[in-house]
Amino acid sequence: MNPEVRTLRRSISATQYFAVGFGSIVGVAWIIIMGDAVASAGAVGTAFALFIGALGILLVAFCYAEMAARLPGAGGEIVYAQALGGSGTAYLTGWTLALVYTAACAFQAISIGQLLGLLFPGIEGPVAYSILGHEVRVGNLVIGGGLAIALAALAMRGVRGAAVVQEWVTYLRIAMMAGFIAIAIAYADPANLRPLVPGETATLKFAAILSMLGSAPFWFAGFNAAVTTAEECSTSMTAAGRALIFAILGSAAFYILLVLSVGALVPVATLKTLPLPAAQAFEIAMGTPTVAKIVLVTAILGSVTAWNALLLAGSRVYFALGRAHLSPAAFARLNVQGAPSLAILAVTAATLVALPLGRGFILPIINIISACFGIIYVATCLAVLKMRKSGMQASFTAPGGTPLVVTAIVFSVIIALVALFQPWFLSGGTVPPEWITLGCWAVVSLLVWFGAQARIKALPDEARLDLLKGESRG
């Protein structure tokens, strides 16, 4: 049989590939949740957890880079899951990724209004209602919804335009980040870093660091967004793999330097009271809001680049599912610019639906993303082992052999377990919103799976893998 194959245009260079990876990792989370992280684990404890988390994520990233070189298809992990366990595994992975990228886009939509509100006081407008213990303001809904629609319009014009914007904004942000971190180091007082890790006992200190470590996939979420665009990469996969690794290293360096330098600007007791300490600490330490505003502008640009990359990744997931007969075929339809228009609209619509939940949904989003990514990391690493046994050659191979891959699997399992069960312990034994969200998503995915069995079974697994890779079996 000759299934119809819709292929995406190869338009992304190696530097743009790096920009997609780095831009989606270092988005807005560092300014939104840094206060909670420092309050829980201290600046030094947070930096240490991020260092360990970066090492673990780096091992996983090597596996991703190898799989992207072996199977550079849109949808990333869906392609790997198909090669690992067939249609059922690919479908489960695809629906999990759809939840992840939708939740991540919703995080950006919810957060952007708060950042603009500090930069332009009053822009958030009046309170519309309260939900999940937080107020939702009219301005936040308008800003988040407006930007969601604007980014969707940009994505509709094709990946080249989105990648160019991503590249320029990312490198501008890197320059701004280097500037305000240098200023923070100049004004830092190491005495402000004490206590190094909060907690009266060693057990409590360890628990604080472990809690922070459990959120590592969220802090580094987005590096794998780049692999969903591997089919559109115009450079060699060796160069793309290196760009992905450099994106991880660059983001880890930024996070650790930021946490330590900002943590040393003001006492930790003061830092805990600030809604956005990564910006407001500069104003307190220097007595002027200038640098704080630069940090806010950097964060806003970061939100845009992360959101853009996540929208690209999420739409490619829907596109890959549609092309492989695992979801409605309309998701695989391309517009005249070569963009999967319905897939883009699906991610945008889901973002707009989640936006009204407001800031009270931010912590559940973090835990959901971390848990889901931990599970997907395991599947990707297992796919590496299976592909190596098959004897298939790759232009990029993760160093360290099997021990590296096994270590990455162990790390991913630990991360997933911490992210899944920590909310239950913190909720005092009640069912946390994370579990409710995951349960509802699982029910919907099962209903769709059983309802689509005729379409799914009509295509052999070998042909489905070809479709996921953008190839045709003649």
PDB file of all heavy atoms in Angstrom, residues 416-439:
ATOM      1  N   ALA A 416       9.712  10.901  37.841  1.00  0.00           N
ATOM      2  CA  ALA A 416       8.280  10.674  37.619  1.00  0.00           C
ATOM      3  C   ALA A 416       7.573  10.311  38.927  1.00  0.00           C
ATOM      4  O   ALA A 416       6.481  10.815  39.213  1.00  0.00           O
ATOM      5  CB  ALA A 416       8.080   9.574  36.581  1.00  0.00           C
ATOM      6  N   LEU A 417       8.191   9.459  39.720  1.00  0.00           N
ATOM      7  CA  LEU A 417       7.584   9.047  40.992  1.00  0.00           C
ATOM      8  C   LEU A 417       7.464  10.216  41.961  1.00  0.00           C
ATOM      9  O   LEU A 417       6.427  10.395  42.624  1.00  0.00           O
ATOM     10  CB  LEU A 417       8.407   7.919  41.620  1.00  0.00           C
ATOM     11  CG  LEU A 417       8.347   6.566  40.892  1.00  0.00           C
ATOM     12  CD1 LEU A 417       9.298   5.571  41.542  1.00  0.00           C
ATOM     13  CD2 LEU A 417       6.929   6.018  40.866  1.00  0.00           C
ATOM     14  N   VAL A 418       8.521  11.031  42.059  1.00  0.00           N
ATOM     15  CA  VAL A 418       8.484  12.191  42.954  1.00  0.00           C
ATOM     16  C   VAL A 418       7.387  13.156  42.524  1.00  0.00           C
ATOM     17  O   VAL A 418       6.594  13.645  43.346  1.00  0.00           O
ATOM     18  CB  VAL A 418       9.855  12.902  42.983  1.00  0.00           C
ATOM     19  CG1 VAL A 418       9.746  14.229  43.737  1.00  0.00           C
ATOM     20  CG2 VAL A 418      10.902  12.022  43.650  1.00  0.00           C
ATOM     21  N   ALA A 419       7.314  13.452  41.221  1.00  0.00           N
ATOM     22  CA  ALA A 419       6.324  14.408  40.724  1.00  0.00           C
ATOM     23  C   ALA A 419       4.899  13.887  40.881  1.00  0.00           C
ATOM     24  O   ALA A 419       3.967  14.668  41.098  1.00  0.00           O
ATOM     25  CB  ALA A 419       6.607  14.732  39.259  1.00  0.00           C
ATOM     26  N   LEU A 420       4.710  12.565  40.794  1.00  0.00           N
ATOM     27  CA  LEU A 420       3.378  11.984  40.914  1.00  0.00           C
ATOM     28  C   LEU A 420       2.885  11.944  42.354  1.00  0.00           C
ATOM     29  O   LEU A 420       1.712  12.220  42.638  1.00  0.00           O
ATOM     30  CB  LEU A 420       3.368  10.568  40.333  1.00  0.00           C
ATOM     31  CG  LEU A 420       3.189  10.430  38.819  1.00  0.00           C
ATOM     32  CD1 LEU A 420       3.370   8.983  38.411  1.00  0.00           C
ATOM     33  CD2 LEU A 420       1.817  10.942  38.384  1.00  0.00           C
ATOM     34  N   PHE A 421       3.786  11.585  43.287  1.00  0.00           N
ATOM     35  CA  PHE A 421       3.335  11.338  44.666  1.00  0.00           C
ATOM     36  C   PHE A 421       3.557  12.511  45.614  1.00  0.00           C
ATOM     37  O   PHE A 421       2.916  12.575  46.668  1.00  0.00           O
ATOM     38  CB  PHE A 421       4.023  10.085  45.218  1.00  0.00           C
ATOM     39  CG  PHE A 421       3.526   8.814  44.592  1.00  0.00           C
ATOM     40  CD1 PHE A 421       4.245   8.185  43.589  1.00  0.00           C
ATOM     41  CD2 PHE A 421       2.312   8.268  44.973  1.00  0.00           C
ATOM     42  CE1 PHE A 421       3.778   7.025  42.987  1.00  0.00           C
ATOM     43  CE2 PHE A 421       1.835   7.112  44.388  1.00  0.00           C
ATOM     44  CZ  PHE A 421       2.562   6.483  43.395  1.00  0.00           C
ATOM     45  N   GLN A 422       4.424  13.449  45.264  1.00  0.00           N
ATOM     46  CA  GLN A 422       4.614  14.619  46.129  1.00  0.00           C
ATOM     47  C   GLN A 422       3.309  15.395  46.343  1.00  0.00           C
ATOM     48  O   GLN A 422       3.007  15.790  47.476  1.00  0.00           O
ATOM     49  CB  GLN A 422       5.690  15.530  45.547  1.00  0.00           C
ATOM     50  CG  GLN A 422       5.955  16.764  46.414  1.00  0.00           C
ATOM     51  CD  GLN A 422       6.789  17.803  45.679  1.00  0.00           C
ATOM     52  OE1 GLN A 422       7.019  17.690  44.485  1.00  0.00           O
ATOM     53  NE2 GLN A 422       7.226  18.816  46.398  1.00  0.00           N
ATOM     54  N   PRO A 423       2.491  15.638  45.289  1.00  0.00           N
ATOM     55  CA  PRO A 423       1.234  16.365  45.511  1.00  0.00           C
ATOM     56  C   PRO A 423       0.305  15.673  46.501  1.00  0.00           C
ATOM     57  O   PRO A 423      -0.400  16.341  47.271  1.00  0.00           O
ATOM     58  CB  PRO A 423       0.605  16.412  44.107  1.00  0.00           C
ATOM     59  CG  PRO A 423       1.758  16.286  43.176  1.00  0.00           C
ATOM     60  CD  PRO A 423       2.716  15.365  43.863  1.00  0.00           C
ATOM     61  N   TRP A 424       0.308  14.338  46.508  1.00  0.00           N
ATOM     62  CA  TRP A 424      -0.554  13.610  47.443  1.00  0.00           C
ATOM     63  C   TRP A 424      -0.111  13.827  48.884  1.00  0.00           C
ATOM     64  O   TRP A 424      -0.934  14.052  49.771  1.00  0.00           O
ATOM     65  CB  TRP A 424      -0.534  12.123  47.099  1.00  0.00           C
ATOM     66  CG  TRP A 424      -1.450  11.311  47.978  1.00  0.00           C
ATOM     67  CD1 TRP A 424      -2.809  11.222  47.892  1.00  0.00           C
ATOM     68  CD2 TRP A 424      -1.065  10.493  49.082  1.00  0.00           C
ATOM     69  NE1 TRP A 424      -3.299  10.384  48.864  1.00  0.00           N
ATOM     70  CE2 TRP A 424      -2.250   9.927  49.622  1.00  0.00           C
ATOM     71  CE3 TRP A 424       0.152  10.183  49.669  1.00  0.00           C
ATOM     72  CZ2 TRP A 424      -2.237   9.079  50.718  1.00  0.00           C
ATOM     73  CZ3 TRP A 424       0.173   9.326  50.765  1.00  0.00           C
ATOM     74  CH2 TRP A 424      -1.012   8.790  51.275  1.00  0.00           C
ATOM     75  N   PHE A 425       1.205  13.786  49.131  1.00  0.00           N
ATOM     76  CA  PHE A 425       1.716  14.027  50.485  1.00  0.00           C
ATOM     77  C   PHE A 425       1.426  15.460  50.934  1.00  0.00           C
ATOM     78  O   PHE A 425       1.070  15.702  52.088  1.00  0.00           O
ATOM     79  CB  PHE A 425       3.215  13.757  50.543  1.00  0.00           C
ATOM     80  CG  PHE A 425       3.576  12.293  50.453  1.00  0.00           C
ATOM     81  CD1 PHE A 425       4.248  11.789  49.359  1.00  0.00           C
ATOM     82  CD2 PHE A 425       3.223  11.419  51.477  1.00  0.00           C
ATOM     83  CE1 PHE A 425       4.574  10.453  49.265  1.00  0.00           C
ATOM     84  CE2 PHE A 425       3.547  10.067  51.407  1.00  0.00           C
ATOM     85  CZ  PHE A 425       4.220   9.582  50.292  1.00  0.00           C
ATOM     86  N   LEU A 426       1.570  16.415  50.021  1.00  0.00           N
ATOM     87  CA  LEU A 426       1.339  17.815  50.377  1.00  0.00           C
ATOM     88  C   LEU A 426      -0.142  18.123  50.570  1.00  0.00           C
ATOM     89  O   LEU A 426      -0.493  19.082  51.262  1.00  0.00           O
ATOM     90  CB  LEU A 426       1.911  18.733  49.297  1.00  0.00           C
ATOM     91  CG  LEU A 426       3.437  18.717  49.119  1.00  0.00           C
ATOM     92  CD1 LEU A 426       3.861  19.643  47.995  1.00  0.00           C
ATOM     93  CD2 LEU A 426       4.130  19.127  50.421  1.00  0.00           C
ATOM     94  N   SER A 427      -1.017  17.322  49.972  1.00  0.00           N
ATOM     95  CA  SER A 427      -2.462  17.574  50.076  1.00  0.00           C
ATOM     96  C   SER A 427      -3.069  16.983  51.336  1.00  0.00           C
ATOM     97  O   SER A 427      -4.278  17.093  51.545  1.00  0.00           O
ATOM     98  CB  SER A 427      -3.181  17.016  48.850  1.00  0.00           C
ATOM     99  OG  SER A 427      -3.092  15.591  48.832  1.00  0.00           O
ATOM    100  N   GLY A 428      -2.236  16.331  52.135  1.00  0.00           N
ATOM    101  CA  GLY A 428      -2.735  15.764  53.382  1.00  0.00           C
ATOM    102  C   GLY A 428      -3.571  14.526  53.189  1.00  0.00           C
ATOM    103  O   GLY A 428      -4.442  14.215  54.014  1.00  0.00           O
ATOM    104  N   GLY A 429      -3.348  13.814  52.108  1.00  0.00           N
ATOM    105  CA  GLY A 429      -4.064  12.572  51.876  1.00  0.00           C
ATOM    106  C   GLY A 429      -5.282  12.711  50.994  1.00  0.00           C
ATOM    107  O   GLY A 429      -5.914  11.701  50.653  1.00  0.00           O
ATOM    108  N   THR A 430      -5.659  13.940  50.632  1.00  0.00           N
ATOM    109  CA  THR A 430      -6.791  14.122  49.717  1.00  0.00           C
ATOM    110  C   THR A 430      -6.304  13.964  48.273  1.00  0.00           C
ATOM    111  O   THR A 430      -5.105  14.017  47.996  1.00  0.00           O
ATOM    112  CB  THR A 430      -7.422  15.517  49.889  1.00  0.00           C
ATOM    113  OG1 THR A 430      -6.435  16.521  49.597  1.00  0.00           O
ATOM    114  CG2 THR A 430      -7.909  15.704  51.323  1.00  0.00           C
ATOM    115  N   VAL A 431      -7.245  13.770  47.368  1.00  0.00           N
ATOM    116  CA  VAL A 431      -6.883  13.593  45.958  1.00  0.00           C
ATOM    117  C   VAL A 431      -6.464  14.946  45.383  1.00  0.00           C
ATOM    118  O   VAL A 431      -7.275  15.870  45.330  1.00  0.00           O
ATOM    119  CB  VAL A 431      -8.051  13.010  45.145  1.00  0.00           C
ATOM    120  CG1 VAL A 431      -7.654  12.860  43.680  1.00  0.00           C
ATOM    121  CG2 VAL A 431      -8.486  11.674  45.724  1.00  0.00           C
ATOM    122  N   PRO A 432      -5.228  15.080  44.942  1.00  0.00           N
ATOM    123  CA  PRO A 432      -4.749  16.378  44.428  1.00  0.00           C
ATOM    124  C   PRO A 432      -5.293  16.663  43.035  1.00  0.00           C
ATOM    125  O   PRO A 432      -5.668  15.734  42.302  1.00  0.00           O
ATOM    126  CB  PRO A 432      -3.224  16.203  44.402  1.00  0.00           C
ATOM    127  CG  PRO A 432      -3.014  14.732  44.245  1.00  0.00           C
ATOM    128  CD  PRO A 432      -4.148  14.063  44.966  1.00  0.00           C
ATOM    129  N   PRO A 433      -5.333  17.938  42.624  1.00  0.00           N
ATOM    130  CA  PRO A 433      -5.851  18.290  41.291  1.00  0.00           C
ATOM    131  C   PRO A 433      -5.030  17.665  40.164  1.00  0.00           C
ATOM    132  O   PRO A 433      -5.554  17.427  39.078  1.00  0.00           O
ATOM    133  CB  PRO A 433      -5.773  19.821  41.264  1.00  0.00           C
ATOM    134  CG  PRO A 433      -4.848  20.198  42.375  1.00  0.00           C
ATOM    135  CD  PRO A 433      -4.998  19.137  43.402  1.00  0.00           C
ATOM    136  N   GLU A 434      -3.745  17.402  40.420  1.00  0.00           N
ATOM    137  CA  GLU A 434      -2.915  16.757  39.402  1.00  0.00           C
ATOM    138  C   GLU A 434      -3.471  15.392  39.045  1.00  0.00           C
ATOM    139  O   GLU A 434      -3.542  15.033  37.854  1.00  0.00           O
ATOM    140  CB  GLU A 434      -1.474  16.599  39.906  1.00  0.00           C
ATOM    141  CG  GLU A 434      -0.704  17.898  40.055  1.00  0.00           C
ATOM    142  CD  GLU A 434      -0.882  18.531  41.423  1.00  0.00           C
ATOM    143  OE1 GLU A 434      -1.882  18.229  42.109  1.00  0.00           O
ATOM    144  OE2 GLU A 434      -0.023  19.350  41.803  1.00  0.00           O
ATOM    145  N   TRP A 435      -3.839  14.605  40.057  1.00  0.00           N
ATOM    146  CA  TRP A 435      -4.366  13.259  39.820  1.00  0.00           C
ATOM    147  C   TRP A 435      -5.715  13.324  39.100  1.00  0.00           C
ATOM    148  O   TRP A 435      -6.015  12.504  38.232  1.00  0.00           O
ATOM    149  CB  TRP A 435      -4.499  12.508  41.133  1.00  0.00           C
ATOM    150  CG  TRP A 435      -3.187  12.101  41.745  1.00  0.00           C
ATOM    151  CD1 TRP A 435      -1.944  12.575  41.420  1.00  0.00           C
ATOM    152  CD2 TRP A 435      -2.988  11.146  42.776  1.00  0.00           C
ATOM    153  NE1 TRP A 435      -0.989  11.984  42.195  1.00  0.00           N
ATOM    154  CE2 TRP A 435      -1.597  11.100  43.042  1.00  0.00           C
ATOM    155  CE3 TRP A 435      -3.844  10.339  43.516  1.00  0.00           C
ATOM    156  CZ2 TRP A 435      -1.046  10.265  44.009  1.00  0.00           C
ATOM    157  CZ3 TRP A 435      -3.304   9.503  44.491  1.00  0.00           C
ATOM    158  CH2 TRP A 435      -1.908   9.464  44.733  1.00  0.00           C
ATOM    159  N   ILE A 436      -6.543  14.304  39.481  1.00  0.00           N
ATOM    160  CA  ILE A 436      -7.853  14.464  38.841  1.00  0.00           C
ATOM    161  C   ILE A 436      -7.670  14.798  37.358  1.00  0.00           C
ATOM    162  O   ILE A 436      -8.342  14.226  36.486  1.00  0.00           O
ATOM    163  CB  ILE A 436      -8.660  15.570  39.544  1.00  0.00           C
ATOM    164  CG1 ILE A 436      -8.964  15.144  40.998  1.00  0.00           C
ATOM    165  CG2 ILE A 436      -9.939  15.869  38.779  1.00  0.00           C
ATOM    166  CD1 ILE A 436      -9.632  16.225  41.822  1.00  0.00           C
ATOM    167  N   THR A 437      -6.742  15.725  37.071  1.00  0.00           N
ATOM    168  CA  THR A 437      -6.487  16.114  35.678  1.00  0.00           C
ATOM    169  C   THR A 437      -5.982  14.929  34.861  1.00  0.00           C
ATOM    170  O   THR A 437      -6.458  14.674  33.744  1.00  0.00           O
ATOM    171  CB  THR A 437      -5.463  17.262  35.631  1.00  0.00           C
ATOM    172  OG1 THR A 437      -5.932  18.365  36.398  1.00  0.00           O
ATOM    173  CG2 THR A 437      -5.219  17.709  34.193  1.00  0.00           C
ATOM    174  N   LEU A 438      -5.006  14.218  35.410  1.00  0.00           N
ATOM    175  CA  LEU A 438      -4.453  13.059  34.706  1.00  0.00           C
ATOM    176  C   LEU A 438      -5.515  11.972  34.508  1.00  0.00           C
ATOM    177  O   LEU A 438      -5.573  11.333  33.446  1.00  0.00           O
ATOM    178  CB  LEU A 438      -3.264  12.494  35.482  1.00  0.00           C
ATOM    179  CG  LEU A 438      -1.985  13.348  35.487  1.00  0.00           C
ATOM    180  CD1 LEU A 438      -0.974  12.800  36.486  1.00  0.00           C
ATOM    181  CD2 LEU A 438      -1.375  13.411  34.096  1.00  0.00           C
ATOM    182  N   GLY A 439      -6.364  11.776  35.522  1.00  0.00           N
ATOM    183  CA  GLY A 439      -7.418  10.774  35.412  1.00  0.00           C
ATOM    184  C   GLY A 439      -8.430  11.121  34.323  1.00  0.00           C
ATOM    185  O   GLY A 439      -8.816  10.262  33.525  1.00  0.00           O
TER     186      GLY A 439
END
